[in-house]
Amino acid sequence: MSFVSTAITVFSLVLLFHAGYSAYEFSHYLKHLTVNSNATLPIDIITETIVATGLFALGQVLGADKLRPVSFAKWAKGLEREGKSPFVFLERRPGYMNVTKLREEYASTKK
Amino acid sequence: MDEKERKQAIYPVSTESLQQNGKTVYYIRSVTSTIFGVSAGILGLESYYGFLFYFAGTAFVSLLLFLLLARGQPTEYFTSANDIWIGNALTGLSSFVLTWTLFYGLVDA
């Protein structure tokens, strides 16, 4: 969750809470202070709600984990870069060591 | 071996990636469904309009997933392109109805 996505999410929740409270107040006034309760929600509250939900969805999608590649080849390539290849047991094969060659290498570096 | 099994053998699929991607999409859809319920309650939507709002919102989230997460190539991250458009689309329906009824009752003073 990066900073931008968290900021967008929090802002959208604040906006949503404000819209909700405004709608509650509007309904309260309608019921207790007017005679004919035939009015619909004012357009700015509606806009605020819709914008808030859109922003929330945007913030969540932006802050989600990156999708992993599904083909085995690409996924294993990414892992190998980090050194955690699924076939790491094939990199060292103790049964196939060439001891004399290794001894020569060691002797040459030691000198 | 039939066509599909041959394709599986030549181009294997990493199940771990598939599961992780499925989890990500599932989380996004369930969280946004609750917020869609909150807005539907605030707007005072009823019956068919409410469910229409849910499907419109889910379509919007699918579009966002396609553009931002899959970056226009859904087959690279899912087995079929349908998984990003309509996969897990109905899992959030119950959360939607829950928050919808809750906030409808709250906002109605």
Side-chain angles (χ1 to χ4, degrees):
Chain A
M1 288 287 278
S2 68
F3 170 72
V4 169
S5 74
T6 326
I8 293 179
T9 311
V10 167
F11 176 67
S12 72
L13 286 177
V14 165
L15 219 56
L16 200 60
F17 174 75
H18 180 258
Y21 188 67
S22 309
Y24 166 75
E25 286 287 306
F26 174 77
S27 159
H28 187 259
Y29 290 161
L30 208 58
K31 280 194 182 161
H32 297 258
L33 302 176
T34 62
V35 179
N36 63 336
S37 56
N38 221 6
T40 60
L41 215 51
I43 188 74
D44 53 346
I45 298 184
I46 296 179
T47 324
E48 193 177 1
T49 319
I50 295 182
V51 164
T53 43
L55 273 184
F56 183 83
L58 185 69
Q60 284 300 318
V61 169
L62 281 177
D65 296 333
K66 294 258 174 289
L67 291 182
R68 321 278 168 89
V70 135
S71 74
F72 195 89
K74 296 200 178 105
W75 170 69
K77 179 168 149 191
L79 279 188
E80 256 176 45
R81 290 230 180 91
E82 299 167 15
K84 285 182 259 177
S85 148
F87 300 111
V88 92
F89 62 92
L90 289 175
E91 303 286 327
R92 273 176 58 86
R93 305 259 216 125
Y96 288 92
M97 267 194 324
N98 186 357
V99 186
T100 36
K101 182 160 167 243
L102 287 175
R103 265 195 213 136
E104 282 168 20
E105 273 180 26
Y106 179 72
S108 64
T109 56
K110 197 175 173 200
K111 258 188 250 163
Chain B
M1 276 203 240
D2 64 329
E3 184 61 42
K4 198 160 173 216
E5 282 177 359
R6 269 187 87 211
K7 198 159 170 247
Q8 277 279 63
I10 302 176
Y11 301 107
V13 148
S14 107
T15 48
E16 185 197 314
S17 298
L18 213 55
Q19 277 175 350
Q20 284 286 66
N21 293 350
K23 250 178 26 177
T24 311
V25 169
Y26 179 77
Y27 172 75
I28 290 179
R29 285 215 196 267
S30 46
V31 153
T32 50
S33 296
T34 53
I35 295 298
F36 290 145
V38 172
S39 339
I42 290 176
L43 293 174
L45 297 174
E46 298 183 352
S47 75
Y48 292 120
Y49 291 116
F51 288 106
L52 208 65
F53 184 79
Y54 173 72
F55 287 118
T58 312
F60 176 65
V61 168
S62 294
L63 186 68
L64 279 184
L65 283 175
F66 177 76
L67 288 178
L68 292 178
L69 274 193
R71 253 167 275 144
Q73 291 165 330
T75 45
E76 188 165 315
Y77 302 104
F78 299 94
T79 40
S80 75
N82 280 339
D83 279 350
I84 206 167
W85 292 107
I86 54 182
N88 276 342
L90 294 181
T91 52
L93 196 58
S94 41
S95 320
F96 169 76
V97 171
L98 177 73
T99 45
W100 179 19
T101 51
L102 177 66
F103 278 83
Y104 186 92
L106 279 180
V107 161
D108 211 24

